Amino acid sequence: MCGILAIFCKNSKSYNKEKFLSSLMKIKDRGPDYSNILKVNENIIFGHNRLKIIDVSDKSNQPFQANGCSLIFNGCIYNYKYLKKILKKKYNFKTDGDTEVLLYSLIEWGEYALDKIDGMYSFIFHNGDETIISVDEFNEKPLYYHQNENYMI
């Protein structure tokens, strides 16, 4: 179990760093092992509270970035070892966890990665041009959002 939080602002003036950090800390119990915030670009901020389970090393701390892409993820990808074997031919892995496998799956296959991954999850992925927001088909790791004229959280 982890806690993920993101804000997508129409302009950077509608972002309040203190309020974002306060909101992230309200879900700290979902991931007490590590917390971090990443400013993806001027209008997107990712926050993550991590509960270390599969790869307990600090290398798997999130938000996760590679190849100009960013990911926050809560859940478990059950077939990550199988997917990693396929992706190892093209990508150099630095962790033993499922987060990096999910990131490279999304980089490699985009939204079609959802057809390949098996697990319970919610995640937000941004590649510079587009954002993929997804939950597993049974909504085991739900993702809630709020939207108004200035931002989506």
Side-chain angles (χ1 to χ4, degrees), residues 16-117:
N16 180 310
K17 184 177 181 179
E18 291 76 30
K19 197 171 188 179
F20 186 87
L21 184 57
S22 173
S23 296
L24 185 63
M25 290 304 106
K26 287 180 181 174
I27 57 171
K28 177 76 174 164
D29 61 320
R30 293 189 59 81
D33 297 325
Y34 180 80
S35 296
N36 197 16
I37 292 174
L38 171 70
K39 190 169 187 176
V40 176
N41 63 34
E42 286 301 311
N43 300 322
I44 302 173
I45 313 294
F46 282 177
H48 190 270
N49 291 320
R50 181 174 179 218
L51 177 64
K52 296 179 179 182
I53 296 176
I54 292 180
D55 180 354
V56 297
S57 75
D58 290 343
K59 292 179 187 175
S60 286
N61 288 342
Q62 296 181 49
F64 217 87
Q65 287 187 292
N67 298 6
C69 299
S70 304
L71 173 71
I72 49 177
F73 162 61
N74 173 33
C76 181
I77 305 301
Y78 303 138
N79 63 337
Y80 78 96
K81 289 181 181 179
Y82 168 76
L83 294 171
K84 188 173 184 176
K85 284 180 187 177
I86 295 168
L87 294 164
K88 262 186 164 180
K89 297 170 187 167
K90 188 170 181 181
Y91 300 98
N92 183 23
F93 285 84
K94 296 179 175 109
T95 73
D96 294 321
D98 56 351
T99 303
E100 189 176 23
V101 173
L102 176 60
L103 178 70
Y104 286 128
S105 294
L106 291 162
I107 290 170
E108 183 67 19
W109 300 303
E111 67 183 78
Y112 298 105
L114 299 174
D115 296 332
K116 299 177 184 300
I117 60 175

